[in-house]
Amino acid sequence: MNILYLFAFYRIGDGGSSAVRAIYLADKGFAENQLIVCKRIVSSEGDMNMVEDSDIETVRDFLSKGNLIIHYIRSNQSNILNRVNRLAKMHIPTITTVCQSPSYKRLMLSPYEIRKTNHFVFIDKASHNDPFISFIIKQHTSQMYLISKKGYESRIKETADLIKLEDDKNNAIIFGRGTTISKCPRDMFDVFDNINIVNKHFLIIGIPEGDNWVRKEAAKRNNVTVLPLLSYNKWVEKCLSMDIVLYELPVNNYASIDANLGLAMLLQKPVVYYGPDAPKERLHHLVNGYIANSPKEISQYAKKLADNPDLRRKIGEEARRSTISFMEENCFDDRMHSLYHSLNLVTLSQKVPLSYSIKYLRYCYKDILRNIFNKYVY
């Protein structure tokens, strides 16, 4: 079997890109040949076969191999599925793995993507059960957490060797977070400022260089460090320095279960979370982390953890234990490979309600115009 992976915008450290990598590596040895085709590649690891869709010769050569399926990892709006189908001049059995909330305005699945997908995979329960896409035939959907059994055992051992508990009260308590700028709520600095302890520091990872609101706000303080997206090894290094992870997201955000959240918990870091439902699937309030009901509660829970090293250790240890259990129970490899084999048996029969198409046009018209004029803007 030859697998062609489609993705919009690949960049090391990005959540969607991490999903692409997890799926690609899980399929190694199962697929005879693999190729990732992206609209744009900003940075990438050297162990994956990857090209931009402008490399038409390479894409056409892969399409000619036969015994082919498409695995479309859907994060940002893109016309890449349409472009590849046009190059193929035929429909290729397609799995679409949805990496964001399907009801989030400009990230809605397009009617074309819905009609041309044989089977949908949603990476969290909240997205899979989203009433916004309840018209999709349930037999053509699955929910899988992107945890590969090929990688989780080595990651568990690797993180066990790295864990350090630093409870020296002479050092500042380091509060950390790691998301792209689009997932940074406007009040996150207020939340940090309202943590009522004297010696504290805020480490923010995932913010691009340049003139943006996060870096401007951070520059007003002498106890905030801002870093861009990092590779896995560098993210681990920085995460190890954190005492407490403040994982606050805008409540109406499109976030799914973030790999960085799972890694922080695996590294035995206590997490205080506030935001949409999907990431809550990893947390048990007061047991392996805290789920705040308001920004004010984030500051309160953060202070409680900062004042109590033993509580930090207890919550962190349970975060790691529960994450290991979660990983062991939710490996997707075998289920995904079984789905690949059955894909040819799934006919395209999905209809898209007119009401959905109208909403899509209303929310996504700018991206549609960009695609019409063959300009893809991020």
Side-chain angles (χ1 to χ4, degrees):
M1 180 177 290
N2 301 304
I3 304 179
L4 182 65
Y5 306 88
L6 305 183
F7 190 62
F9 179 84
Y10 197 95
R11 178 176 53 188
I12 292 174
D14 172 72
S17 302
S18 297
V20 175
R21 181 169 175 78
I23 294 168
Y24 182 95
L25 294 180
D27 290 344
K28 268 193 170 181
F30 173 84
E32 184 178 351
N33 295 287
Q34 297 171 278
L35 177 66
I36 302 170
V37 180
C38 303
K39 293 294 295 184
R40 185 180 171 198
I41 302 170
V42 174
S43 56
S44 66
E45 298 82 356
D47 57 349
M48 298 193 297
N49 187 19
M50 182 184 302
V51 298
E52 293 187 346
D53 69 343
S54 56
D55 188 351
I56 294 176
E57 184 177 341
T58 298
V59 177
R60 279 182 172 155
D61 180 65
F62 197 88
L63 289 171
S64 69
K65 291 182 182 295
N67 192 21
L68 186 70
I69 66 169
I70 287 175
H71 194 149
Y72 176 31
I73 296 91
R74 174 51 156 77
S75 181
N76 296 308
Q77 282 281 354
S78 168
N79 66 348
I80 192 165
L81 180 61
N82 191 336
R83 279 178 60 85
V84 170
N85 278 335
R86 287 168 62 189
L87 279 175
K89 297 181 180 179
M90 60 181 288
H91 174 73
I92 299 168
T94 299
I95 291 175
T96 296
T97 292
V98 181
C99 297
Q100 79 289 322
S101 168
S103 57
Y104 185 77
K105 298 180 180 178
R106 291 181 60 250
L107 296 181
M108 288 171 60
L109 292 163
S110 73
Y112 179 87
E113 291 167 339
I114 294 171
R115 289 196 304 269
K116 295 299 182 180
T117 293
N118 296 75
H119 196 93
F120 288 94
V121 173
F122 297 90
I123 67 172
D124 59 73
K125 292 177 182 176
S127 294
H128 188 226
N129 298 324
D130 193 329
F132 193 72
I133 44 93
S134 61
F135 62 88
I136 295 178
I137 300 168
K138 276 301 175 184
Q139 298 94 306
H140 296 176
T141 70
S142 301
Q143 190 272 312
M144 302 183 198
Y145 297 111
L146 295 185
I147 299 168
S148 169
K149 67 181 178 184
K150 280 186 176 180
Y152 87 83
E153 289 181 349
S154 61
R155 185 159 290 190
I156 289 170
K157 182 181 184 305
E158 172 190 279
T159 52
D161 295 336
L162 291 171
I163 289 171
K164 297 176 183 177
L165 292 174
E166 299 177 359
D167 291 328
D168 186 345
K169 293 183 180 179
N170 293 319
N171 295 330
I173 294 292
I174 298 177
F175 298 93
R177 63 172 290 133
T179 65
T180 54
I181 192 169
S182 62
K183 295 181 182 178
C184 291
R186 288 282 173 173
D187 64 353
M188 70 178 187
F189 287 100
D190 295 332
V191 167
F192 172 69
D193 292 341
N194 290 333
I195 301 172
N196 190 22
I197 64 172
V198 176
N199 201 7
K200 61 184 179 181
H201 195 89
F202 197 10
L203 174 58
I204 305 170
I205 300 171
I207 309 304
E209 304 286 352
D211 190 25
N212 57 66
W213 75 268
V214 174
R215 289 186 178 273
K216 284 180 179 178
E217 195 65 30
K220 299 175 184 178
R221 298 161 173 81
N222 60 8
N223 59 350
V224 178
T225 300
V226 180
L227 297 174
L229 284 170
L230 302 177
S231 65
Y232 170 77
N233 288 338
K234 289 183 178 178
W235 160 252
V236 168
E237 177 186 334
K238 294 300 179 183
C239 190
L240 283 167
S241 71
M242 300 174 188
D243 295 289
I244 300 162
V245 175
L246 302 181
Y247 197 67
E248 181 192 7
L249 301 173
V251 174
N252 61 348
N253 195 261
Y254 55 88
S256 182
I257 297 178
D258 195 293
N260 288 341
L261 170 63
L263 183 56
M265 295 174 70
L266 195 58
L267 289 169
Q268 219 159 286
K269 302 300 175 182
V271 174
V272 181
Y273 176 72
Y274 175 73
D277 287 341
K280 296 176 186 177
E281 294 171 29
R282 283 281 183 96
L283 296 167
H284 302 284
H285 184 53
L286 304 179
V287 178
N288 68 349
Y290 291 84
I291 300 175
N293 293 311
S294 67
K296 183 178 179 181
E297 278 194 1
I298 304 173
S299 303
Q300 292 171 346
Y301 288 137
K303 175 175 168 50
K304 183 176 182 179
L305 286 164
D307 289 341
N308 192 333
D310 290 335
L311 181 62
R312 292 202 302 275
R313 181 183 293 108
K314 178 183 175 182
I315 296 293
E317 287 174 350
E318 184 58 29
R320 177 175 172 81
R321 188 206 64 76
S322 61
T323 300
I324 291 173
S325 176
F326 184 88
M327 293 170 76
E328 290 173 342
E329 294 169 3
N330 290 285
C331 291
F332 75 94
D333 311 52
D334 292 342
R335 290 181 64 200
M336 187 69 78
H337 296 165
S338 176
L339 187 55
Y340 288 156
H341 280 304
S342 65
L343 204 58
N344 280 314
L345 303 176
V346 181
T347 57
L348 290 178
S349 57
Q350 181 62 59
K351 295 180 180 179
V352 181
L354 178 61
S355 59
Y356 182 92
S357 297
I358 291 171
K359 289 177 183 176
Y360 177 80
L361 287 169
R362 189 176 71 196
Y363 288 139
C364 307
Y365 70 94
K366 290 182 181 178
D367 295 291
I368 293 170
L369 291 175
R370 291 183 185 121
N371 288 338
I372 289 173
F373 293 105
N374 202 30
K375 291 183 179 180
Y376 199 80
V377 181
Y378 295 91

